Amino acid sequence: MSAPAQPAVFNPLEDGFIDWPYDQYRRLRAEDPVHRSDLLQGWVVTRYADVSRILRDPASSAVIDNAVPTDMTRAEIQRRDEAARGGRTLVLLDDPDHARLRKLIAKPFRPREVDGLRSLIEERVRLRVDALVAEHGAGTPVELDLIAEFAYPLPVEIFCQMLGIPEEDHPIFRFWVNCIARSLDPVMDQAERDELVARTDEMYAFLEELVETKRGRNDADILSDLVHAEEDGETLTHEELMAQLMTLYVAGHEPTAGLVGNGLRALFDFPDQLAMLQADRSLLRNAVSELLRYDGPNQFVRRIALADMAFDTPAGPVTVPAGAVVYASPGSANRDEAQWGPTVDQVDITRTDAGSHLQFGAGIHACLGSHLARLQAEVMFTAILDRFEEIELAGPAVWSTRMVIRGLSELPVRARLR
Ligand code: HEM
């Protein structure tokens, strides 16, 4: 007699989840799309329509203090308060505070301003490939790790250069940023948590010193713009500025590296799509949207329900009660057959509605850096197509253990560099 089927459960610790969470998401969408998770002491929401609704719903708060207290929320509030940074990052605030901060820091990230950064980004990417050519040689097939040697260092280098951070400090920033990205995961032991808090403090102290040097000057860089940010008579306090800077680093680095790494890995699984892109670069813009949809880095966005939220599900009506913590999954929503149809699990770089993906979130917190992320990804993919000839997978891709920001820690490739 076969054992009765287990109910669908969200379990990021299950074997295989880190490599490929999409099978678990599919089951949750089919059986329990608004799922109560004991592990997360909250709700996991996986269908496109529901995730989209939660992200846009004014009754979804980003402020953890609105949650009914649990061990996890208490611990998070305590960590935030002990860190003396007060959680004043715009990601963790509701309007009107959120809107005020967003307006103050938005200018450098508008499409026009970001387009002005194209040559800086192209130059940075060119220098990195030149360095790879110098190290590995050109013209004959070589093997290298596309994450460690290309996708991972570049976004943080680009951001450091935008902020005017000295070249020799870029590597330590990469390390710090990785620590902070890991600290976003809700599940980890206390020793690791303490270690990550210590690293965050180091980065904070470094940036604080740099900000002080910019205060009395009028340099033409983005950090100076942020230090002097003023809009309708409003200014950023020192604590607010520091919180936004830390956020920009974390928000900007790991997901952008993830987009390029996950995206290239996906193209290796769909070589016809890679060949199409190699033959016609005008497809790149839409390809970036499709790669974000197919296996983008952002797996969960967290909200607190300010009022009861009712959902119709295959198992009957479900109500998420006011005060509950909700993990809405763009990663799952972007693979929902009800939204994308029967080709949902294929990469199709000509998909006409690829731009409807939820990787950049939606509503008031929609990603501030989406233009910058897309531009960086386009320049990095162009460099891969132009300068990594006959690129192919050279060994197994290794996923990092993060649950919220999904990305590779290794992607061995073989190519002839030029
Ligand atoms: C592929 C790359 C990226 C992805 C997938 C991504 C994804 C997201 C998502 C899903 C949110 C919404 C979070 C929420 O609703 O709680 C968000 C917000 C944000 N992102 Fe990005 N992001 C990326 C790159 C960047 C870059 C390059 C920057 C800037 C340097 C950036 C800055 C921000 C900021 C400041 C917010 C907060 C906006 C707010 O709360 O109003 N992101 N991002």
Side-chain angles (χ1 to χ4, degrees), residues 13 111 129 131 179 188 198 204 213 335 344 406 415:
L13 308 174
V129 186
C179 291
M188 86 181 57
Y204 191 88
T213 65
R335 299 292 281 270
V344 66
R406 169 174 164 77

Side-chain angles (χ1 to χ4, degrees), residues 151-210:
Y152 201 73
L154 270 171
V156 85
E157 279 175 21
I158 290 168
F159 205 65
C160 280
Q161 184 162 350
M162 282 165 62
L163 289 192
I165 286 172
E167 199 71 33
E168 64 269 22
D169 295 319
H170 292 193
I172 183 76
F173 266 87
R174 292 210 299 265
F175 170 69
W176 284 333
V177 168
N178 184 31
C179 291
I180 304 177
R182 168 77 179 125
S183 71
L184 300 178
D185 276 9
V187 186
M188 86 181 57
D189 67 41
Q190 192 55 39
E192 185 176 7
R193 180 79 70 196
D194 292 344
E195 169 68 17
L196 295 175
V197 169
R199 300 289 81 81
T200 311
D201 288 348
E202 283 171 15
M203 178 168 159
Y204 191 88
F206 183 102
L207 279 173
E208 202 158 36
E209 241 177 72
L210 196 67

